[in-house]
């Protein structure tokens, strides 16, 4: 019988980590146990302690991120791969998704409003100044969302309807690197758990509601064709980015699901926010995936999944062309 161990690395969560441990330890006969990760100072030749670690917190704590990279060096499978996660940013993901043919609203990355630490105007000698803002606004169109190129939790996100509103908010972003993305006027919105690059759980979501009410009760599902498109695009994105646990958000305008946010490798899974049904689904799916990986001994060091797209043909999605026509650009 296998003797494998899964560790859960987490922060302020109260319900998801213990439920995962309980679920794994309740899978009798699998030969796999789970526990909360316990670590101190990490040696560079730290022996392997866990076969799989589920990472829920290293995006906020560099010490944990360094530990996980070292654990991978010694054979641990980490969900999600900290090397890929560290390299990723939302603007690159948008560009990659567009190249893959996923519907993405027009998006531009912008220079920092204020100089980053330890830089001056001389550090910016390659930067055009002043920027051609009219060209940027013509490409993106209004309304638009001004948001960081990295990060999450709806921090520093502004909806702007005019150049005046844009500059008012852009002037408050300091040294953050921001993107400006066309604001899809959606009729429906869905948030999807994607687990193991195989399972998709679609959740009707209302980003305008209070946080604890955003997951719509009863979870009404999209129609057959739209559901198939959402599942297809969600899987394609997670497979390209190499994420085994992610949420992918789609804003649906005129029947087209635009991928809005899909860099969530430690997605919210607390029962108090996602609700009982969604909570049970994600606990079961993640536990089963982690056990399968622990037993399968998958090599955690693989080529970056998105590398295959870097020199491929550019794919332009017809719905994106439709949106560009609507914007008059």
């Amino acid at each position: 019988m296998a003797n494998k161990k899964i560790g859960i690395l987490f922060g302020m969560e109260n319900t998801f980590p213990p439920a995962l441990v309980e679920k794994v330890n309740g899978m009798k006969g699998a030969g796999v146990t789970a526990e909360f990760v316990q670590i101190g100072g990490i040696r560079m030749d730290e022996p392997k302690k866990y076969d799989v670690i589920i990472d829920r917190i290293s995006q906020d704590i560099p010490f944990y991120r360094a530990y996980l990279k070292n654990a991978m060096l010694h054979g641990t499978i980490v969900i999600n791969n900290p090397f890929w996660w560290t390299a990723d940013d939302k603007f690159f993901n948008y560009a990659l998704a567009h190249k893959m043919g996923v519907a993405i609203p027009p998006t531009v990355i912008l220079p920092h409003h204020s100089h980053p630490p330890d830089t001056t105007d001389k550090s910016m000698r390659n930067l055009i100044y002043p920027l051609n803002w009219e060209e940027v606004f013509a490409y993106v169109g209004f309304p638009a969302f001004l948001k960081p190129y990295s990060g999450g939790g709806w921090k520093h996100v502004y909806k702007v309807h005019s150049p005046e509103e844009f500059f008012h908010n852009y002037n408050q972003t300091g040294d953050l690197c921001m993107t400006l993305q066309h604001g899809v006027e959606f009729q429906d919105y869905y948030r999807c758990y994607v687990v193991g690059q195989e399972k998709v759980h679609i959740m009707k979501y209302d980003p305008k509601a209070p946080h604890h009410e955003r997951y719509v009760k009863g979870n009404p599902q999209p129609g057959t064709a739209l559901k198939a498109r959402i599942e297809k695009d969600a899987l394609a994105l997670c497979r390209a980015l190499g994420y085994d646990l992610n949420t992918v958000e789609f804003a649906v305008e005129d029947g087209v699901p635009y991928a809005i946010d899909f860099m969530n490798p430690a997605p919210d899974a607390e029962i108090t926010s996602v609700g009982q049904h969604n909570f049970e689904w994600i606990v079961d799916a993640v536990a089963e995936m982690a056990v399968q990986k622990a037993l399968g001994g998958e090599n955690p060091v693989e080529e970056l999944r998105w590398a295959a797209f870097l020199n491929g043909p550019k794919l332009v999605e017809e719905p994106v062309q439709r949106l560009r026509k609507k914007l008059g650009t």
Side-chain angles (χ1 to χ4, degrees), residues 124-138:
M124 305 298 169
R125 283 185 272 196
N126 293 101
L127 183 65
I128 297 172
Y129 185 84
L131 265 66
N132 187 338
W133 289 109
E134 290 184 0
E135 183 178 76
V136 170
F137 298 148

Side-chain angles (χ1 to χ4, degrees), residues 65 81-94 96 149-151 237 240-243 246 262-265 304 306:
R65 184 59 61 91
N81 187 316
F83 290 95
W84 300 345
W85 195 348
T86 300
D88 251 346
D89 66 71
K90 292 189 175 184
F91 181 71
F92 172 79
N93 290 359
Y94 289 136
L96 172 63
Y149 93 117
S150 187
L237 288 169
L241 296 170
Y243 290 145
N246 196 8
F262 44 96
M263 186 183 167
N264 300 294
L304 295 177
W306 41 257

